Amino acid sequence: MSVRDQIVVRGARQHNLKNIDVAFPRGRLVVITGPSGSGKSSLAFDTIYAEGQRRYIESLGAQARQHLPRLPKPDVDLIEGLSPTIGVQSGELSRSPRSTVGTVTEIDHLLRLLLARLGQPHCPRCGQAIVVLGPAQMVDRVLARAPGARFSVRAPIARVADGDVALGSELARLRREGFMRAVVDGKPVDLHDLERAPRRLRHALEVDVDRLSVKQEARSRLSDSIELALRAGQGVVRVVFEDASELVMSERWRCTQCGFELGEITPASLSWNSPRGECERCHGLGEQLRLDPERVVPDPESSLRGGAIAAWGIAEGRYYARMLEQLQSALAVDLDQPFRALPARTRERILHGAPGTSRSKPYEGVLPGLERRLREWSRRIEGEESLEWLEEELAPFMQRERCSACAGARLNPGALALRLFDRNIAELDALALEQLVPWLQQCAWSPTQQRIAEPIVRELLARVAVLVDLGLGYLSAGRTSRSLSRGEAERIRLAAQLGAGLSGVLYVLDEPTAGLHPRDTERLLGTLLALRDRGNTLLVVEHDLDVIERADFVLDLGPGAGERGGRVMASGSPAEIAASDGPTARYLAGRGSQQAAKPSRGPSSGAVRIRDARIHNLQGVDAELPLARLTCVTGVSGSGKSSLVMHTLLPAARALLRGERADVAAGIEGLDVFARVVHVDQAPIGRTPRSTPATYAGLFGGVRELFASLPEARARGFGPERFSFNVKGGRCETCQGAGVARVPMQFLPDVYVACEDCGGARYERETLQVRYRGSTIADVLGASVDSASELFAQLPRVSEVLASLRAVGLGYLRLGQSATTLSAGEAQRLRLARELARRDHGRTLYVLDEPTAGLHASEVELLAQVLESLLAAGHTLVLVEHNLQLIRRADHVIDLGPEAGAAGGRVIASGTPEQVAQCAQSHTGRWLAHAR
C-alpha cells in the first residue's frame, strides 16, 4: 500500500503512548480498541485529530487564527497522509435549558427561517390575520371592487387615539399640512372651520385624504393618495366605500383591528434565545424556579444547630455557623429544639424574615436570602456557568414549574401568533421528527411559496433524515439536550457532524455506540459505512464487538492501562486481530463467551413492585424487581428504560428514605426494606481541575492526616490542612495549588508550563520536606492507584479505598489526575468504587445507568465480579443496560419496547435472560438468542 493510500504516524509519545508507529488505510472504517486507559484516545484525539486541527488553523492568516481555538502540537515525530479532520467526541451535550435537539442540529434554525419567510402572522389579542401590503397591492385591492363605487381614502391618526392630546392643535397641524377634511368619532369635520370641532379627542381621529370612485383611469391618483395616507397614518390606510364597507390595510406588521404591533418578523423574533422572541416572564426557559420551603428544611426533626437548614450547607461548615450567628442575633430562638417543635410564628420568621425592633436587628430570612443570592449571581454571570451554579447550589432547594405565561412554549405571544398551515413554531418543535417529515411533504405551497420554501425544506428533510436513520425519529426538535440519554446525545452529536455530506474527510469518533441497543448499533453501522463509501476515512475509538467485526482495519492497544498500556499489540483485519495475542483477541474469537457460571441463588425474599407507571412514554407499565438480585432493564433506545428506572423508581426510593411522599406517576411497593439508595451514573465527578480521584474517593483526607502525624510535621506544627492544595498555608501560592501556569500566546497555542516556584509539585518547599516512606505529598498525588496501594498498605482507611478502586479496574489512574480528564466510564466506576469502600449501612438499592459504557469486554467481566460482591452482601441492583455480556449474567430482565417514543413504553418480555431470548417480539431477545 502506497503512502498516498494510508495515514502514517511515527514516534507517537502523547500521554502514555510508548513511541509507537502505526499506519492505517485511507477511505476505510478503522477501529482503535483496547482496555480503558490503554492510549486509544491519546492516539486518536490527542495525536491525530489534534495535529489535523493544528495544521488547518496554521494554514489560515494571523487575523483569522486569533479568533479560533488553538491546539498545541502533539508529541509525535511525523504524521503523513493526514486529511482534513472532524472530531466527534463523547460527553454531554450542553446542559443549558436553552439547548435542544433542534438548536444542536440546526433544525430549529431552518424551521424559524421557514416560518419567518412564509408564515402568516395573527394578532395574539383578537386572532385576526395580519397582512402586510405594499402601496401597489393596496391599489389593486381597491380597484378590484365594483367599477364606479365611490370611496374615501383615510389615514388613522394614532397619536391622539387615547384622547390625551388637545384636538384643536392636532387639527390645526393637519390644516397646515394641506389637508381639508377630517373625521372625528365618525363625524366629518371641515378643517377650515375649527370653531365647531370638539376641544378634546374622545375616540378616534382620521384625516380624509381623498375621495374617488373605482375606475382604472384613477390608478395614478389613487396611488398618490394611498402613499400620502400611509405617511400620515403611520403605515395604515382605511378605505371607506359608500355602502359602508371598508378595507383596512397596513404596510407594517400591525393588527388593523386592535392596533397590536408585531414589529419586523425575522428568524430571531421566533427564537427563545433572543430578547425579541423570548417569553418575558420565563426569559425563554419555559419554566420558572420557585424556592420550596420543604426542600430548604428537608428534615424538620433536626434542630437548627443540627443542620435543619439544608440550604446553608453542612452544619459543621463556616457558612452555616455565620448564618446561625446572624439568626441568633436577630431572633430569640432555641437552636437545639427540633425545627418542627418551634412555634409556627418563629418558623415563619426564620424562613421569610422579620423586621427589626428597638431590641433586635432585622432578619432577612432564609428564603429571601436565597432569592437575593440568586439575583446577585444572575447579574454577575450568564449562560451555562449560571446554570451550573444553580444546579450545584440552589436547584436542590427549588421546584421547577411550567411558566404560567407561555405554558412552557418559551416564546412571547407575538412569536406564537405566526402560523404556517395552522401550526406555530412551538407546535412544530413538539412534533416527533418522524411526524415532521410527512407534515413538510404535505404542505400545499403556492408557486411563489414553492420557490422560497424549496431550498429550506430540502435542507430540513436532509437533516431530519440523518436523525431518523440513526433511530432518533421519536425525538422532537424541542426536546432539551439535558433530558437526553448518553446514547441519544452521542447520536445527536454524530448527526450534527455527519449531515453535511462531505467526502475526503477524516472523521475521528469516540465510542459512537455508547448507550445504544444492539439493534440501534446495527443502524448506526449502516450510517458509518455509508459515510465511508462516500470516500471518507473513519477512525473510531470503540469497544463494541459488532463494530470491530465490521471494521476494515483494527488497532488493538494494550496490554493494560496507564503505564502498562500505550503499545500496539496487534493490527490488521478483524480476523487477524482474533488470531493475535492482543487483549481483544479472545473476545473476537468467541473464547470470551466462556464466562464463570452465575452463582446459584435461591428464590428471592420479595420484590419491589411498580404499578401503572405512566411518566413520559410509559403506557401503564407493571414491573417487579426481585430483592437481592441483579435486574437489567433493557430495550431499544427511547423505549422508556430511563423513564421507568431513573424517573419513577429512583425518585420514589429517595422520597421514601426522606420520609416524603413520592411525586411519581405510578404506584410502588416494597421500598421500605432499604436503608438507603445509591445512584451511580456517568455524570462528571467534578467541574474543575482541582477535583481528583483522591479527593472524590475520600482517601486524601486520610493521607493528609497521615502526613500531619509524622514527626517532621508535628515538629513544624503542620496540621492536615497544611497538606491540602486547595487552601492557603501549605500550597504554592504562585499557582494556587494548580502546579502549572498558563502563558497566553497571541498567534500560537497557549503554553502550560510548570510553576516556576514549585516545579509542578503544587506545594511550597516547607511542606515538601515532610516525607512518608521517602515520598512527599506531591509524590503521592503523582502516583497511580496500584503504586499507592503498596505505599499505604499499612493504613487501613486509605488502603480500603485503594482496593475498591483496583477492584473496578482503575488501578492505572493517578491519584492527582484532574477529574475533567476522566471518561464517562471512568467517572462511573469511580463512583462505584467510592460506594464499595463505604461501611455497610444495611440493605441498599443500587441504581446504575449503563455501567458498561466505555468498558472493554475484559473490564465488563471485572465489573460483573464487583456486582456479584454487592449481591452476595444482600443488596439489590437495578441496571439500565444494553451490553449483552452483562445482561446474560442478570437474574431478571425487563425488556421494554417494542420501539421508541410513542411506539414504546410497554413491557415486551420479563424473566430470566433465557426466557427473554425466547420472545420473538423482543429485539433484546433476538440478540440474546444469537449472542456468542
Side-chain angles (χ1 to χ4, degrees), residues 636-648:
V636 298
S637 300
S639 59
K641 303 181 298 298
S642 294
S643 298
L644 180 63
V645 177
M646 304 301 168
H647 302 147
T648 302

Side-chain angles (χ1 to χ4, degrees), residues 385-451:
E385 288 187 13
S386 177
L387 175 68
E388 290 176 6
W389 180 84
L390 273 175
E391 291 183 344
E392 294 178 3
E393 298 292 332
L394 289 186
F397 315 112
M398 307 186 83
Q399 183 175 351
R400 296 182 183 274
E401 297 178 343
R402 177 175 289 187
C403 176
S404 56
C406 65
R410 302 166 173 255
L411 298 163
N412 59 40
L416 295 173
L418 187 65
R419 308 184 71 85
L420 181 63
F421 297 106
D422 292 328
R423 290 187 185 271
N424 61 30
I425 184 68
E427 291 167 339
L428 291 177
D429 271 340
L431 282 179
L433 296 176
E434 55 196 9
Q435 296 174 326
L436 181 61
V437 172
W439 184 85
L440 287 169
Q441 294 172 336
Q442 293 168 7
C443 288
W445 309 106
S446 69
T448 301
Q449 289 177 323
Q450 180 68 31
R451 288 195 295 272

